[in-house]
Structure formats: structure tokens, C-alpha cells
Amino acid sequence: NLPGLDELIALVNIFKIVDQHQFDVVVFDTAPTGHTLRLLSIPRSIDKVLRQLIQMKSWVGGLVNAMSGSLGVNATVNMDMMDELLPVIERLNKELKDPDITTFCLCLYSGVFVVV
């Protein structure tokens, strides 16, 4: 499992819910701010990696196919998935940065905390 893949899938699913227009507002309650900022930066990171992989896809696909043939294993690489995923990632990046549709609210708890 690639690092950040679960989070990316969660973000894609949230945007699917938004696309259904069943709700006026979708609240995405997350972990503390540092974790959330990393979560929200995942689409940008994945975008960079995908673009690099797409540039290398013919080389990587050919290499895997050649290696699998020489090892007697039938393995093929579906590189088209990257081409299909890139527009989804681009949209996530765009919509997460659009202040007309996305708002980030920081909530603080002002209670008493016990330090041991």
C-alpha cells in the first residue's frame, strides 16, 4: 500500500459525496492540524509522482513486461490507471484551493488539560 493512498481515497470519496449535491455543506472533521495539513497536501504530492510516472510509463511497462517474460511469469502493468487518476488529482488540488467552495476552520478546545 503506497503511503497516503488511503487518505487519497478518502478525499476522492468526500468529493464524490459533494458531487451528489445532497447536502449544502459537508463537514470533514479531521485529526489535529498537522495531520490535516499533511492530508490536504497529499493530492499535490501524488500529482507530482503521477506526472513523473506517466513520463516513464512506456519504459517501466516495457521493463516489467520484458522481465516477466524472461522469468516465465505473465505480469502486465496497467499504466492507463495513472492517466485516468491524474484528472481526479488535478480536480482535488483545484477544489481544495478554491475559497468559494472550500473553507478551513480551526477549532480549539479551551478546557483544562491535566499534565502528568
Side-chain angles (χ1 to χ4, degrees):
N1 198 350
L2 293 173
L5 187 59
D6 293 334
E7 292 82 357
L8 178 64
I9 292 170
L11 284 173
V12 168
N13 286 328
I14 288 168
F15 278 92
K16 285 181 182 178
I17 291 169
V18 170
D19 282 344
Q20 293 172 0
H21 302 289
Q22 294 178 341
F23 307 101
D24 293 331
V25 175
V26 176
V27 176
F28 186 43
D29 186 11
T30 63
T33 307
H35 297 283
T36 301
L37 293 176
R38 280 192 294 278
L39 171 68
L40 296 175
S41 71
I42 286 173
R44 184 177 55 230
S45 301
I46 298 286
D47 180 83
K48 289 178 185 177
V49 170
L50 274 178
R51 288 181 188 282
Q52 290 173 346
L53 288 174
I54 287 170
Q55 289 177 348
M56 297 176 13
K57 78 178 181 179
S58 61
W59 180 81
V60 170
L63 178 65
V64 169
N65 293 336
M67 289 177 57
S68 65
S70 65
L71 297 174
V73 178
N74 185 10
T76 58
V77 178
N78 183 359
M79 304 300 273
D80 294 335
M81 176 203 63
M82 291 185 291
D83 290 323
E84 295 168 12
L85 186 57
L86 188 59
V88 174
I89 300 301
E90 289 172 340
R91 180 175 171 222
L92 279 173
N93 277 323
K94 180 182 174 191
E95 292 187 7
L96 285 171
K97 294 175 185 175
D98 185 346
D100 292 332
I101 60 173
T102 304
T103 303
F104 182 78
C105 297
L106 180 63
C107 301
L108 302 174
Y109 177 71
S110 62
V112 176
F113 293 95
V114 177
V115 178
V116 179

